[in-house]
Amino acid sequence: MSRVAGKVAFVTGAARGQGRSHAVRLAGEGADVIAFDICEDIATNEYPLAGESDLAETARLVEKAGRRVVAAKVDVRDRAAMEARLAEAVADLGGLDIVVANAGICPLGNHIPIMGFVDAFDVDFVGVVNTVHAAMPHLGAGASIIAIGSVAGLVPQTGLNGQQALQGPGGDGYGLAKKMIATYTSSLALTLGPSSIRVNAIHPTNCNTDMLQSPPMYKTFRPDLENPTGEDAAVTFPFMQAMPIPWVEPEDISHAVLFLASDESRYVTGQQLRVDGGAGMKIGL
């Protein structure tokens, strides 16, 4: 298993969910890993975020795969901290070849204060920019930058409440951030093309992580109930996809990450890849 052998991968939001899956999959295919996560909660985001023990478990799994890992508690909103800690990690591991800008939050609900917009946008878009720009000085020809977006975030930002089903200021910030990821990665791909650095985005549908399996998301899918459970929401989750599935698994996104990280995609750049069970088609993308 050596599709990214000899490469170093940088993954944000790596403590659990998609980030952990990406880090472990890349390690299993031969990459050393730099794993960053905030490892603390954000006030406007009402489901718990990962903790330091989660990040330690990601590091353990990477090492179990036989690869080196540098794991650090870093907030993607803090550009200076990102630059400093990443430079140290790159020096430790000897280079940087793959960037997976994955960290994200989704603070949903009409009751969320305006700071929910700020927090969602700052993590979900500014965090992507900080990740990529902190990595840029360390990248050379053949490097791959991958940003994780969202099909849900590509819904037209219209209506009384802004982001349609993604309600409240946090939903608006999330939707705007994910739309801007698509524009940003397409533009950056043109800029970095002459340097033979590839830039792509992956847009999942519902993904079976703690973000999806949370009371705010259950309420989004079952607004008819006061306190919906996961079981209640499971009835409506499949409505989003063309295929008869409620969600995809983190590993499904990691398959795409691995392809875009490997030399198999050496001429693939500027793409918006939807791993969505046909959800994009249903909303006219």
Side-chain angles (χ1 to χ4, degrees):
M1 307 295 280
S2 56
R3 292 167 70 187
V4 287
K7 297 182 184 292
V8 176
F10 172 34
V11 183
T12 62
R16 72 180 187 200
Q18 285 192 52
R20 176 186 287 174
S21 178
H22 305 333
V24 173
R25 183 69 194 280
L26 291 167
E29 291 286 347
D32 295 327
V33 175
I34 301 167
F36 284 4
D37 201 285
I38 188 174
C39 294
E40 61 185 46
D41 291 340
I42 294 174
T44 60
N45 194 76
E46 293 185 332
Y47 60 89
L49 298 179
E52 293 184 58
S53 62
D54 297 305
L55 185 59
E57 175 63 9
T58 296
R60 186 190 72 80
L61 291 170
V62 170
E63 289 174 339
K64 183 180 178 183
R67 307 312 307 169
R68 297 179 296 165
V69 60
V70 175
K73 179 181 175 181
V74 186
D75 187 340
V76 294
R77 296 172 294 180
D78 186 341
R79 172 81 72 86
M82 291 279 286
E83 291 174 341
R85 192 64 188 90
L86 181 59
E88 293 172 357
V90 169
D92 287 345
L93 296 181
L96 184 61
D97 308 281
I98 301 159
V99 179
V100 186
N102 167 81
I105 60 170
C106 194
L108 295 177
N110 289 324
H111 63 288
I112 297 294
I114 296 300
M115 276 303 298
F117 180 96
V118 175
D119 291 337
F121 185 80
D122 284 359
V123 173
D124 297 346
F125 183 70
V126 178
V128 168
V129 172
N130 286 345
T131 299
V132 173
H133 292 187
M136 205 91 77
H138 308 289
L139 301 176
S144 176
I145 296 169
I146 304 157
I148 306 300
S150 170
V151 166
L154 300 178
V155 175
Q157 201 151 338
T158 60
L160 177 63
N161 204 35
Q163 189 56 31
Q164 292 187 348
L166 299 178
Q167 302 212 337
D172 287 339
Y174 178 91
L176 178 60
K178 298 303 186 180
K179 289 175 181 62
M180 290 180 70
I181 284 175
T183 305
Y184 169 73
T185 52
S186 295
S187 180
L188 190 61
L190 282 172
T191 300
L192 297 183
S195 300
S196 296
I197 297 173
R198 294 171 289 117
V199 186
N200 296 284
I202 300 172
H203 299 282
T205 187
N206 299 335
C207 189
N208 190 21
T209 66
D210 292 271
M211 179 188 288
L212 183 70
Q213 304 294 354
S214 67
M217 198 65 76
Y218 299 156
K219 184 67 174 176
T220 295
F221 277 84
R222 292 301 305 270
D224 56 312
L225 299 177
E226 186 174 352
N227 294 298
T229 64
E231 208 169 73
D232 295 325
V235 176
T236 58
F237 280 146
F239 295 170
M240 192 161 161
Q241 291 72 231
M243 299 174 73
I245 55 171
W247 52 62
V248 297
E249 296 293 337
E251 293 79 7
D252 295 309
I253 314 307
S254 298
H255 296 324
V257 167
L258 176 60
F259 168 68
L260 292 174
S262 74
D263 293 341
E264 296 163 16
S265 62
R266 61 181 179 164
Y267 300 132
V268 178
T269 193
Q271 300 301 302
Q272 308 296 317
L273 175 59
R274 300 198 304 266
V275 182
D276 68 353
M281 293 188 295
K282 290 191 73 172
I283 58 176
L285 296 180

PDB file of all heavy atoms in Angstrom, residues 119-159:
ATOM      1  N   ASP A 119     -18.020  32.840  13.473  1.00  0.00           N
ATOM      2  CA  ASP A 119     -17.301  31.607  13.798  1.00  0.00           C
ATOM      3  C   ASP A 119     -17.332  30.615  12.638  1.00  0.00           C
ATOM      4  O   ASP A 119     -16.306  30.015  12.287  1.00  0.00           O
ATOM      5  CB  ASP A 119     -17.896  30.959  15.046  1.00  0.00           C
ATOM      6  CG  ASP A 119     -17.615  31.767  16.311  1.00  0.00           C
ATOM      7  OD1 ASP A 119     -16.641  32.544  16.323  1.00  0.00           O
ATOM      8  OD2 ASP A 119     -18.373  31.605  17.292  1.00  0.00           O
ATOM      9  N   ALA A 120     -18.516  30.434  12.030  1.00  0.00           N
ATOM     10  CA  ALA A 120     -18.629  29.484  10.921  1.00  0.00           C
ATOM     11  C   ALA A 120     -17.767  29.930   9.744  1.00  0.00           C
ATOM     12  O   ALA A 120     -17.025  29.132   9.168  1.00  0.00           O
ATOM     13  CB  ALA A 120     -20.083  29.343  10.489  1.00  0.00           C
ATOM     14  N   PHE A 121     -17.848  31.202   9.387  1.00  0.00           N
ATOM     15  CA  PHE A 121     -17.075  31.686   8.243  1.00  0.00           C
ATOM     16  C   PHE A 121     -15.573  31.637   8.530  1.00  0.00           C
ATOM     17  O   PHE A 121     -14.779  31.245   7.665  1.00  0.00           O
ATOM     18  CB  PHE A 121     -17.497  33.112   7.888  1.00  0.00           C
ATOM     19  CG  PHE A 121     -16.832  33.627   6.647  1.00  0.00           C
ATOM     20  CD1 PHE A 121     -17.302  33.266   5.398  1.00  0.00           C
ATOM     21  CD2 PHE A 121     -15.730  34.463   6.733  1.00  0.00           C
ATOM     22  CE1 PHE A 121     -16.680  33.730   4.240  1.00  0.00           C
ATOM     23  CE2 PHE A 121     -15.106  34.933   5.591  1.00  0.00           C
ATOM     24  CZ  PHE A 121     -15.579  34.569   4.340  1.00  0.00           C
ATOM     25  N   ASP A 122     -15.196  32.011   9.738  1.00  0.00           N
ATOM     26  CA  ASP A 122     -13.766  32.047  10.074  1.00  0.00           C
ATOM     27  C   ASP A 122     -13.149  30.658  10.108  1.00  0.00           C
ATOM     28  O   ASP A 122     -12.001  30.474   9.687  1.00  0.00           O
ATOM     29  CB  ASP A 122     -13.552  32.744  11.429  1.00  0.00           C
ATOM     30  CG  ASP A 122     -13.681  34.254  11.329  1.00  0.00           C
ATOM     31  OD1 ASP A 122     -13.917  34.761  10.217  1.00  0.00           O
ATOM     32  OD2 ASP A 122     -13.541  34.931  12.369  1.00  0.00           O
ATOM     33  N   VAL A 123     -13.869  29.663  10.617  1.00  0.00           N
ATOM     34  CA  VAL A 123     -13.336  28.296  10.613  1.00  0.00           C
ATOM     35  C   VAL A 123     -13.410  27.704   9.215  1.00  0.00           C
ATOM     36  O   VAL A 123     -12.430  27.143   8.699  1.00  0.00           O
ATOM     37  CB  VAL A 123     -14.091  27.399  11.609  1.00  0.00           C
ATOM     38  CG1 VAL A 123     -13.635  25.939  11.475  1.00  0.00           C
ATOM     39  CG2 VAL A 123     -13.885  27.880  13.041  1.00  0.00           C
ATOM     40  N   ASP A 124     -14.567  27.852   8.563  1.00  0.00           N
ATOM     41  CA  ASP A 124     -14.845  27.101   7.342  1.00  0.00           C
ATOM     42  C   ASP A 124     -14.240  27.710   6.081  1.00  0.00           C
ATOM     43  O   ASP A 124     -14.011  26.994   5.101  1.00  0.00           O
ATOM     44  CB  ASP A 124     -16.359  26.944   7.160  1.00  0.00           C
ATOM     45  CG  ASP A 124     -17.002  26.141   8.271  1.00  0.00           C
ATOM     46  OD1 ASP A 124     -16.273  25.484   9.032  1.00  0.00           O
ATOM     47  OD2 ASP A 124     -18.240  26.169   8.386  1.00  0.00           O
ATOM     48  N   PHE A 125     -13.994  29.015   6.077  1.00  0.00           N
ATOM     49  CA  PHE A 125     -13.310  29.596   4.921  1.00  0.00           C
ATOM     50  C   PHE A 125     -11.960  30.207   5.287  1.00  0.00           C
ATOM     51  O   PHE A 125     -10.939  29.852   4.707  1.00  0.00           O
ATOM     52  CB  PHE A 125     -14.166  30.648   4.208  1.00  0.00           C
ATOM     53  CG  PHE A 125     -13.469  31.175   2.984  1.00  0.00           C
ATOM     54  CD1 PHE A 125     -13.307  30.370   1.863  1.00  0.00           C
ATOM     55  CD2 PHE A 125     -12.937  32.464   2.953  1.00  0.00           C
ATOM     56  CE1 PHE A 125     -12.624  30.828   0.743  1.00  0.00           C
ATOM     57  CE2 PHE A 125     -12.261  32.931   1.838  1.00  0.00           C
ATOM     58  CZ  PHE A 125     -12.110  32.118   0.730  1.00  0.00           C
ATOM     59  N   VAL A 126     -11.946  31.111   6.252  1.00  0.00           N
ATOM     60  CA  VAL A 126     -10.660  31.702   6.642  1.00  0.00           C
ATOM     61  C   VAL A 126      -9.701  30.604   7.092  1.00  0.00           C
ATOM     62  O   VAL A 126      -8.502  30.650   6.800  1.00  0.00           O
ATOM     63  CB  VAL A 126     -10.849  32.761   7.750  1.00  0.00           C
ATOM     64  CG1 VAL A 126      -9.498  33.326   8.191  1.00  0.00           C
ATOM     65  CG2 VAL A 126     -11.742  33.895   7.261  1.00  0.00           C
ATOM     66  N   GLY A 127     -10.222  29.584   7.775  1.00  0.00           N
ATOM     67  CA  GLY A 127      -9.381  28.464   8.199  1.00  0.00           C
ATOM     68  C   GLY A 127      -8.778  27.701   7.034  1.00  0.00           C
ATOM     69  O   GLY A 127      -7.628  27.256   7.094  1.00  0.00           O
ATOM     70  N   VAL A 128      -9.553  27.556   5.964  1.00  0.00           N
ATOM     71  CA  VAL A 128      -9.022  26.915   4.755  1.00  0.00           C
ATOM     72  C   VAL A 128      -7.908  27.773   4.159  1.00  0.00           C
ATOM     73  O   VAL A 128      -6.828  27.280   3.809  1.00  0.00           O
ATOM     74  CB  VAL A 128     -10.146  26.691   3.719  1.00  0.00           C
ATOM     75  CG1 VAL A 128      -9.576  26.300   2.356  1.00  0.00           C
ATOM     76  CG2 VAL A 128     -11.106  25.610   4.213  1.00  0.00           C
ATOM     77  N   VAL A 129      -8.152  29.062   4.059  1.00  0.00           N
ATOM     78  CA  VAL A 129      -7.144  29.973   3.506  1.00  0.00           C
ATOM     79  C   VAL A 129      -5.883  29.961   4.367  1.00  0.00           C
ATOM     80  O   VAL A 129      -4.757  29.879   3.849  1.00  0.00           O
ATOM     81  CB  VAL A 129      -7.721  31.393   3.395  1.00  0.00           C
ATOM     82  CG1 VAL A 129      -6.633  32.397   3.012  1.00  0.00           C
ATOM     83  CG2 VAL A 129      -8.860  31.430   2.374  1.00  0.00           C
ATOM     84  N   ASN A 130      -6.049  30.035   5.684  1.00  0.00           N
ATOM     85  CA  ASN A 130      -4.887  30.002   6.576  1.00  0.00           C
ATOM     86  C   ASN A 130      -4.092  28.715   6.413  1.00  0.00           C
ATOM     87  O   ASN A 130      -2.856  28.718   6.405  1.00  0.00           O
ATOM     88  CB  ASN A 130      -5.333  30.159   8.027  1.00  0.00           C
ATOM     89  CG  ASN A 130      -5.751  31.579   8.371  1.00  0.00           C
ATOM     90  OD1 ASN A 130      -5.462  32.518   7.633  1.00  0.00           O
ATOM     91  ND2 ASN A 130      -6.435  31.735   9.488  1.00  0.00           N
ATOM     92  N   THR A 131      -4.803  27.604   6.307  1.00  0.00           N
ATOM     93  CA  THR A 131      -4.144  26.303   6.131  1.00  0.00           C
ATOM     94  C   THR A 131      -3.317  26.280   4.853  1.00  0.00           C
ATOM     95  O   THR A 131      -2.136  25.912   4.849  1.00  0.00           O
ATOM     96  CB  THR A 131      -5.196  25.190   6.094  1.00  0.00           C
ATOM     97  OG1 THR A 131      -5.908  25.165   7.337  1.00  0.00           O
ATOM     98  CG2 THR A 131      -4.564  23.830   5.844  1.00  0.00           C
ATOM     99  N   VAL A 132      -3.941  26.691   3.763  1.00  0.00           N
ATOM    100  CA  VAL A 132      -3.263  26.641   2.459  1.00  0.00           C
ATOM    101  C   VAL A 132      -2.115  27.630   2.402  1.00  0.00           C
ATOM    102  O   VAL A 132      -1.006  27.312   1.951  1.00  0.00           O
ATOM    103  CB  VAL A 132      -4.271  26.894   1.329  1.00  0.00           C
ATOM    104  CG1 VAL A 132      -3.559  27.011  -0.014  1.00  0.00           C
ATOM    105  CG2 VAL A 132      -5.322  25.779   1.292  1.00  0.00           C
ATOM    106  N   HIS A 133      -2.338  28.836   2.896  1.00  0.00           N
ATOM    107  CA  HIS A 133      -1.303  29.863   2.791  1.00  0.00           C
ATOM    108  C   HIS A 133      -0.140  29.596   3.738  1.00  0.00           C
ATOM    109  O   HIS A 133       1.008  29.918   3.420  1.00  0.00           O
ATOM    110  CB  HIS A 133      -1.918  31.236   3.022  1.00  0.00           C
ATOM    111  CG  HIS A 133      -2.858  31.653   1.935  1.00  0.00           C
ATOM    112  ND1 HIS A 133      -3.424  32.908   1.853  1.00  0.00           N
ATOM    113  CD2 HIS A 133      -3.348  30.966   0.860  1.00  0.00           C
ATOM    114  CE1 HIS A 133      -4.205  32.974   0.799  1.00  0.00           C
ATOM    115  NE2 HIS A 133      -4.190  31.795   0.185  1.00  0.00           N
ATOM    116  N   ALA A 134      -0.415  29.003   4.892  1.00  0.00           N
ATOM    117  CA  ALA A 134       0.675  28.604   5.779  1.00  0.00           C
ATOM    118  C   ALA A 134       1.519  27.512   5.141  1.00  0.00           C
ATOM    119  O   ALA A 134       2.735  27.439   5.340  1.00  0.00           O
ATOM    120  CB  ALA A 134       0.118  28.123   7.116  1.00  0.00           C
ATOM    121  N   ALA A 135       0.868  26.657   4.353  1.00  0.00           N
ATOM    122  CA  ALA A 135       1.574  25.540   3.708  1.00  0.00           C
ATOM    123  C   ALA A 135       2.348  25.964   2.466  1.00  0.00           C
ATOM    124  O   ALA A 135       3.334  25.331   2.090  1.00  0.00           O
ATOM    125  CB  ALA A 135       0.571  24.448   3.328  1.00  0.00           C
ATOM    126  N   MET A 136       1.908  27.032   1.813  1.00  0.00           N
ATOM    127  CA  MET A 136       2.418  27.395   0.492  1.00  0.00           C
ATOM    128  C   MET A 136       3.947  27.474   0.411  1.00  0.00           C
ATOM    129  O   MET A 136       4.541  26.962  -0.554  1.00  0.00           O
ATOM    130  CB  MET A 136       1.800  28.713   0.039  1.00  0.00           C
ATOM    131  CG  MET A 136       1.755  28.884  -1.452  1.00  0.00           C
ATOM    132  SD  MET A 136       0.209  28.268  -2.145  1.00  0.00           S
ATOM    133  CE  MET A 136      -0.891  29.594  -1.720  1.00  0.00           C
ATOM    134  N   PRO A 137       4.630  28.098   1.378  1.00  0.00           N
ATOM    135  CA  PRO A 137       6.088  28.200   1.245  1.00  0.00           C
ATOM    136  C   PRO A 137       6.807  26.851   1.256  1.00  0.00           C
ATOM    137  O   PRO A 137       7.969  26.764   0.845  1.00  0.00           O
ATOM    138  CB  PRO A 137       6.496  29.033   2.472  1.00  0.00           C
ATOM    139  CG  PRO A 137       5.265  29.743   2.905  1.00  0.00           C
ATOM    140  CD  PRO A 137       4.139  28.813   2.571  1.00  0.00           C
ATOM    141  N   HIS A 138       6.135  25.814   1.723  1.00  0.00           N
ATOM    142  CA  HIS A 138       6.763  24.498   1.858  1.00  0.00           C
ATOM    143  C   HIS A 138       6.458  23.568   0.678  1.00  0.00           C
ATOM    144  O   HIS A 138       6.977  22.449   0.644  1.00  0.00           O
ATOM    145  CB  HIS A 138       6.284  23.834   3.152  1.00  0.00           C
ATOM    146  CG  HIS A 138       6.445  24.697   4.366  1.00  0.00           C
ATOM    147  ND1 HIS A 138       7.675  24.982   4.912  1.00  0.00           N
ATOM    148  CD2 HIS A 138       5.519  25.342   5.136  1.00  0.00           C
ATOM    149  CE1 HIS A 138       7.510  25.767   5.969  1.00  0.00           C
ATOM    150  NE2 HIS A 138       6.211  25.988   6.128  1.00  0.00           N
ATOM    151  N   LEU A 139       5.636  24.017  -0.261  1.00  0.00           N
ATOM    152  CA  LEU A 139       5.182  23.153  -1.344  1.00  0.00           C
ATOM    153  C   LEU A 139       6.011  23.351  -2.608  1.00  0.00           C
ATOM    154  O   LEU A 139       6.410  24.475  -2.936  1.00  0.00           O
ATOM    155  CB  LEU A 139       3.709  23.426  -1.663  1.00  0.00           C
ATOM    156  CG  LEU A 139       2.715  23.217  -0.522  1.00  0.00           C
ATOM    157  CD1 LEU A 139       1.317  23.619  -0.969  1.00  0.00           C
ATOM    158  CD2 LEU A 139       2.736  21.780  -0.031  1.00  0.00           C
ATOM    159  N   GLY A 140       6.226  22.265  -3.327  1.00  0.00           N
ATOM    160  CA  GLY A 140       6.935  22.322  -4.600  1.00  0.00           C
ATOM    161  C   GLY A 140       6.183  21.579  -5.676  1.00  0.00           C
ATOM    162  O   GLY A 140       5.038  21.141  -5.483  1.00  0.00           O
ATOM    163  N   ALA A 141       6.795  21.438  -6.829  1.00  0.00           N
ATOM    164  CA  ALA A 141       6.164  20.758  -7.956  1.00  0.00           C
ATOM    165  C   ALA A 141       5.689  19.369  -7.546  1.00  0.00           C
ATOM    166  O   ALA A 141       6.399  18.631  -6.856  1.00  0.00           O
ATOM    167  CB  ALA A 141       7.147  20.650  -9.113  1.00  0.00           C
ATOM    168  N   GLY A 142       4.474  19.033  -7.957  1.00  0.00           N
ATOM    169  CA  GLY A 142       3.891  17.740  -7.627  1.00  0.00           C
ATOM    170  C   GLY A 142       3.038  17.749  -6.378  1.00  0.00           C
ATOM    171  O   GLY A 142       2.369  16.757  -6.075  1.00  0.00           O
ATOM    172  N   ALA A 143       3.029  18.863  -5.643  1.00  0.00           N
ATOM    173  CA  ALA A 143       2.218  18.939  -4.426  1.00  0.00           C
ATOM    174  C   ALA A 143       0.728  18.990  -4.766  1.00  0.00           C
ATOM    175  O   ALA A 143       0.332  19.390  -5.863  1.00  0.00           O
ATOM    176  CB  ALA A 143       2.613  20.158  -3.602  1.00  0.00           C
ATOM    177  N   SER A 144      -0.083  18.594  -3.788  1.00  0.00           N
ATOM    178  CA  SER A 144      -1.534  18.567  -3.973  1.00  0.00           C
ATOM    179  C   SER A 144      -2.219  19.253  -2.801  1.00  0.00           C
ATOM    180  O   SER A 144      -1.975  18.906  -1.638  1.00  0.00           O
ATOM    181  CB  SER A 144      -2.031  17.124  -4.086  1.00  0.00           C
ATOM    182  OG  SER A 144      -3.443  17.078  -4.176  1.00  0.00           O
ATOM    183  N   ILE A 145      -3.084  20.220  -3.103  1.00  0.00           N
ATOM    184  CA  ILE A 145      -3.898  20.913  -2.105  1.00  0.00           C
ATOM    185  C   ILE A 145      -5.339  20.470  -2.295  1.00  0.00           C
ATOM    186  O   ILE A 145      -5.878  20.524  -3.411  1.00  0.00           O
ATOM    187  CB  ILE A 145      -3.790  22.440  -2.280  1.00  0.00           C
ATOM    188  CG1 ILE A 145      -2.355  22.915  -2.023  1.00  0.00           C
ATOM    189  CG2 ILE A 145      -4.777  23.164  -1.361  1.00  0.00           C
ATOM    190  CD1 ILE A 145      -2.109  24.357  -2.429  1.00  0.00           C
ATOM    191  N   ILE A 146      -5.968  20.045  -1.199  1.00  0.00           N
ATOM    192  CA  ILE A 146      -7.346  19.542  -1.244  1.00  0.00           C
ATOM    193  C   ILE A 146      -8.149  20.252  -0.166  1.00  0.00           C
ATOM    194  O   ILE A 146      -7.790  20.208   1.016  1.00  0.00           O
ATOM    195  CB  ILE A 146      -7.384  18.023  -0.986  1.00  0.00           C
ATOM    196  CG1 ILE A 146      -6.485  17.285  -1.990  1.00  0.00           C
ATOM    197  CG2 ILE A 146      -8.813  17.501  -1.047  1.00  0.00           C
ATOM    198  CD1 ILE A 146      -6.029  15.922  -1.514  1.00  0.00           C
ATOM    199  N   ALA A 147      -9.218  20.929  -0.545  1.00  0.00           N
ATOM    200  CA  ALA A 147     -10.107  21.589   0.410  1.00  0.00           C
ATOM    201  C   ALA A 147     -11.411  20.803   0.492  1.00  0.00           C
ATOM    202  O   ALA A 147     -11.939  20.351  -0.525  1.00  0.00           O
ATOM    203  CB  ALA A 147     -10.387  23.020  -0.011  1.00  0.00           C
ATOM    204  N   ILE A 148     -11.908  20.636   1.713  1.00  0.00           N
ATOM    205  CA  ILE A 148     -13.173  19.922   1.912  1.00  0.00           C
ATOM    206  C   ILE A 148     -14.308  20.931   2.025  1.00  0.00           C
ATOM    207  O   ILE A 148     -14.348  21.745   2.953  1.00  0.00           O
ATOM    208  CB  ILE A 148     -13.120  19.038   3.169  1.00  0.00           C
ATOM    209  CG1 ILE A 148     -11.916  18.092   3.115  1.00  0.00           C
ATOM    210  CG2 ILE A 148     -14.427  18.252   3.297  1.00  0.00           C
ATOM    211  CD1 ILE A 148     -11.882  17.142   1.941  1.00  0.00           C
ATOM    212  N   GLY A 149     -15.207  20.898   1.064  1.00  0.00           N
ATOM    213  CA  GLY A 149     -16.357  21.790   1.056  1.00  0.00           C
ATOM    214  C   GLY A 149     -17.605  21.068   1.522  1.00  0.00           C
ATOM    215  O   GLY A 149     -17.566  20.254   2.448  1.00  0.00           O
ATOM    216  N   SER A 150     -18.727  21.322   0.855  1.00  0.00           N
ATOM    217  CA  SER A 150     -19.987  20.678   1.217  1.00  0.00           C
ATOM    218  C   SER A 150     -21.015  20.913   0.128  1.00  0.00           C
ATOM    219  O   SER A 150     -21.169  22.043  -0.348  1.00  0.00           O
ATOM    220  CB  SER A 150     -20.523  21.244   2.532  1.00  0.00           C
ATOM    221  OG  SER A 150     -21.846  20.802   2.769  1.00  0.00           O
ATOM    222  N   VAL A 151     -21.715  19.866  -0.269  1.00  0.00           N
ATOM    223  CA  VAL A 151     -22.822  20.034  -1.202  1.00  0.00           C
ATOM    224  C   VAL A 151     -23.914  20.897  -0.565  1.00  0.00           C
ATOM    225  O   VAL A 151     -24.489  21.771  -1.221  1.00  0.00           O
ATOM    226  CB  VAL A 151     -23.381  18.664  -1.634  1.00  0.00           C
ATOM    227  CG1 VAL A 151     -24.728  18.822  -2.331  1.00  0.00           C
ATOM    228  CG2 VAL A 151     -22.409  17.974  -2.573  1.00  0.00           C
ATOM    229  N   ALA A 152     -24.171  20.688   0.723  1.00  0.00           N
ATOM    230  CA  ALA A 152     -25.202  21.473   1.409  1.00  0.00           C
ATOM    231  C   ALA A 152     -24.876  22.952   1.365  1.00  0.00           C
ATOM    232  O   ALA A 152     -25.773  23.803   1.301  1.00  0.00           O
ATOM    233  CB  ALA A 152     -25.338  21.002   2.852  1.00  0.00           C
ATOM    234  N   GLY A 153     -23.591  23.273   1.399  1.00  0.00           N
ATOM    235  CA  GLY A 153     -23.187  24.672   1.362  1.00  0.00           C
ATOM    236  C   GLY A 153     -23.287  25.300  -0.005  1.00  0.00           C
ATOM    237  O   GLY A 153     -23.098  26.514  -0.139  1.00  0.00           O
ATOM    238  N   LEU A 154     -23.583  24.516  -1.037  1.00  0.00           N
ATOM    239  CA  LEU A 154     -23.691  25.049  -2.394  1.00  0.00           C
ATOM    240  C   LEU A 154     -25.124  25.378  -2.778  1.00  0.00           C
ATOM    241  O   LEU A 154     -25.397  25.813  -3.890  1.00  0.00           O
ATOM    242  CB  LEU A 154     -23.101  24.040  -3.392  1.00  0.00           C
ATOM    243  CG  LEU A 154     -21.612  23.707  -3.172  1.00  0.00           C
ATOM    244  CD1 LEU A 154     -21.141  22.672  -4.184  1.00  0.00           C
ATOM    245  CD2 LEU A 154     -20.748  24.951  -3.246  1.00  0.00           C
ATOM    246  N   VAL A 155     -26.059  25.187  -1.836  1.00  0.00           N
ATOM    247  CA  VAL A 155     -27.452  25.569  -2.073  1.00  0.00           C
ATOM    248  C   VAL A 155     -27.522  27.086  -2.233  1.00  0.00           C
ATOM    249  O   VAL A 155     -26.854  27.816  -1.502  1.00  0.00           O
ATOM    250  CB  VAL A 155     -28.337  25.134  -0.880  1.00  0.00           C
ATOM    251  CG1 VAL A 155     -29.756  25.636  -1.044  1.00  0.00           C
ATOM    252  CG2 VAL A 155     -28.324  23.619  -0.746  1.00  0.00           C
ATOM    253  N   PRO A 156     -28.315  27.600  -3.183  1.00  0.00           N
ATOM    254  CA  PRO A 156     -28.421  29.057  -3.352  1.00  0.00           C
ATOM    255  C   PRO A 156     -28.784  29.753  -2.044  1.00  0.00           C
ATOM    256  O   PRO A 156     -29.661  29.300  -1.310  1.00  0.00           O
ATOM    257  CB  PRO A 156     -29.546  29.205  -4.387  1.00  0.00           C
ATOM    258  CG  PRO A 156     -29.492  27.935  -5.160  1.00  0.00           C
ATOM    259  CD  PRO A 156     -29.113  26.872  -4.175  1.00  0.00           C
ATOM    260  N   GLN A 157     -28.094  30.841  -1.766  1.00  0.00           N
ATOM    261  CA  GLN A 157     -28.280  31.546  -0.500  1.00  0.00           C
ATOM    262  C   GLN A 157     -29.405  32.553  -0.652  1.00  0.00           C
ATOM    263  O   GLN A 157     -29.199  33.754  -0.819  1.00  0.00           O
ATOM    264  CB  GLN A 157     -26.973  32.245  -0.100  1.00  0.00           C
ATOM    265  CG  GLN A 157     -26.901  32.561   1.385  1.00  0.00           C
ATOM    266  CD  GLN A 157     -25.476  32.563   1.884  1.00  0.00           C
ATOM    267  OE1 GLN A 157     -24.604  31.965   1.284  1.00  0.00           O
ATOM    268  NE2 GLN A 157     -25.229  33.215   2.990  1.00  0.00           N
ATOM    269  N   THR A 158     -30.635  32.027  -0.599  1.00  0.00           N
ATOM    270  CA  THR A 158     -31.810  32.853  -0.843  1.00  0.00           C
ATOM    271  C   THR A 158     -32.853  32.608   0.226  1.00  0.00           C
ATOM    272  O   THR A 158     -32.755  31.686   1.032  1.00  0.00           O
ATOM    273  CB  THR A 158     -32.436  32.520  -2.211  1.00  0.00           C
ATOM    274  OG1 THR A 158     -32.815  31.133  -2.228  1.00  0.00           O
ATOM    275  CG2 THR A 158     -31.461  32.793  -3.346  1.00  0.00           C
ATOM    276  N   GLY A 159     -33.900  33.443   0.220  1.00  0.00           N
ATOM    277  CA  GLY A 159     -35.022  33.219   1.115  1.00  0.00           C
ATOM    278  C   GLY A 159     -34.950  34.099   2.346  1.00  0.00           C
ATOM    279  O   GLY A 159     -33.944  34.737   2.653  1.00  0.00           O
TER     280      GLY A 159
END
